Amino acid sequence: MRFRLLKRLLGREENFPGVQSRPVTTGWGDALEKGRGMKLCILNKLGIMSVIALALTLVAASAAFADESSTNIGDASSFQDDAALWAMVDDKAKKDGAVCEETLVSGTDAQPYATAAKRPAKYPIAKGFILVTKDKYKGVVPSGHAGIIYSESTVIEAMPEGVVRKSNNWYSRYKTCYGAYVKNISQTQKDKAANWAKGQMGKPYNYDFYNPNTRKAFYCSQLVWAAYKDTLGINLENAALCGNAIHPSELLMSSRVSVFYMQQ
């Protein structure tokens, strides 16, 4: 499995001279970094030829995963590469009538994305609403991240440290952001899904991306998907896009979901 292989092979950025990181972090990407299975001290004990061979394998795996023009996401027969998935999300968002915040202005200086002092007027704050970003891990590895809003100021998210409650500040935390909600259900039902997600706090991160049916651990989009599936029987997965893994983009592509906010 691609994600499982990458998790095992991808090392820290200092193992790749010249690769620059960005201050943006995403759930899947951070988990890949934290979940690496080899320490530098182990590498120091290997012979020089083994180190070279391993380095070439790591670079090849990273390059293949980051090649947005040819890399597939899942095991389904109708694969879509990562760039195509997000292009489909953008098209759907426009059809859904999403408000697009391309540039936010603070004073006289145009900002690439919002600041904490200026939350966009249409930014989602309602309980049970879904947040998704397509930001890449360290600007290279396509992954994305998802969370479910618990309150105006908090979001329940699965991060490398496990399921946690974090600030609802995606408008400043990430460069890109989508806001969406599940259609044709009441606010009480949305509350129920958010409460279920909160009840998973403290559980560890699920590094087995192709096993979304476990409830002992969660990755970001699996948590949001499970919150609606287990409480309301609403399945937001599209197996034709990503196979058994639940990619963050799937949550927005569901016919049950309306995307009303975009930040590009």
Side-chain angles (χ1 to χ4, degrees), residues 108-121:
T108 59
D109 298 323
Q111 303 295 326
Y113 50 97
T115 63
K118 185 177 176 62
R119 185 175 71 192

Side-chain angles (χ1 to χ4, degrees), residues 240-263:
L241 292 177
C242 302
N244 292 332
I246 310 295
H247 191 276
S249 64
E250 289 184 73
L251 303 174
L252 304 178
M253 287 302 298
S254 171
S255 61
R256 296 295 307 270
V257 170
S258 179
V259 183
F260 70 94
Y261 176 84
M262 294 174 63
Q263 182 175 301

Side-chain angles (χ1 to χ4, degrees), residues 88-98 259:
M88 292 166 62
V89 168
D90 288 343
D91 288 343
K92 181 177 184 294
K94 292 174 183 177
K95 291 178 181 178
D96 288 346
V259 183

Side-chain angles (χ1 to χ4, degrees), residues 12-33:
R12 297 185 72 90
E13 64 177 287
E14 57 262 33
N15 293 335
F16 298 91
V19 175
Q20 299 296 318
S21 65
R22 62 186 293 173
V24 175
T25 59
T26 56
W28 283 32
D30 279 354
L32 293 175
E33 181 177 24

Side-chain angles (χ1 to χ4, degrees), residues 20-264:
Q20 299 296 318
S21 65
R22 62 186 293 173
V24 175
T25 59
T26 56
W28 283 32
D30 279 354
L32 293 175
E33 181 177 24
K34 186 174 181 180
R36 67 191 186 283
M38 293 186 179
K39 301 292 185 179
L40 187 58
C41 62
I42 297 177
L43 292 179
N44 290 335
K45 296 179 182 179
L46 297 176
I48 185 63
M49 295 305 297
S50 298
V51 173
I52 293 174
L54 178 60
L56 291 174
T57 302
L58 290 170
V59 172
S62 298
F65 193 80
D67 183 0
E68 295 184 354
S69 64
S70 61
T71 300
N72 293 325
I73 294 297
D75 292 334
S77 58
S78 301
F79 289 127
Q80 298 289 341
D81 63 62
D82 196 77
L85 283 174
W86 292 116
M88 292 166 62
V89 168
D90 288 343
D91 288 343
K92 181 177 184 294
K94 292 174 183 177
K95 291 178 181 178
D96 288 346
V99 175
C100 184
E101 297 280 1
E102 294 185 355
T103 302
L104 296 171
V105 178
S106 177
T108 59
D109 298 323
Q111 303 295 326
Y113 50 97
T115 63
K118 185 177 176 62
R119 185 175 71 192
K122 299 296 184 180
Y123 179 80
I125 57 175
K127 190 172 183 177
F129 279 35
I130 298 170
L131 292 175
V132 173
T133 179
K134 63 180 177 182
D135 284 14
K136 300 176 184 178
Y137 171 60
K138 296 189 181 299
V140 177
V141 180
S143 53
H145 182 49
I148 184 169
I149 296 176
Y150 183 72
S151 69
E152 179 177 348
S153 60
T154 60
V155 181
I156 306 299
E157 309 174 38
M159 301 294 283
E161 61 268 32
V163 179
V164 294
R165 179 163 51 183
K166 297 179 71 71
S167 296
N168 186 7
N169 61 354
W170 287 37
Y171 54 86
S172 58
R173 198 196 313 175
Y174 300 115
K175 183 176 181 180
T176 65
C177 179
Y178 300 88
Y181 61 90
V182 177
K183 298 184 290 186
N184 301 319
I185 63 173
S186 67
Q187 184 57 53
T188 299
Q189 290 173 303
K190 295 183 182 74
D191 292 349
K192 187 175 181 180
N195 290 338
W196 184 93
K198 181 178 180 293
Q200 312 312 307
M201 287 179 59
K203 291 186 178 180
Y205 193 88
N206 178 16
Y207 292 103
D208 187 354
F209 299 109
Y210 284 88
N211 181 22
N213 292 318
T214 180
R215 296 298 181 262
K216 295 180 180 180
F218 294 92
Y219 56 85
C220 64
S221 42
Q222 173 204 1
L223 176 67
V224 179
W225 165 77
Y228 277 98
K229 186 174 187 295
D230 287 14
T231 60
L232 303 173
I234 297 175
N235 189 356
L236 303 180
E237 179 188 16
N238 188 334
L241 292 177
C242 302
N244 292 332
I246 310 295
H247 191 276
S249 64
E250 289 184 73
L251 303 174
L252 304 178
M253 287 302 298
S254 171
S255 61
R256 296 295 307 270
V257 170
S258 179
V259 183
F260 70 94
Y261 176 84
M262 294 174 63
Q263 182 175 301
Q264 303 286 6

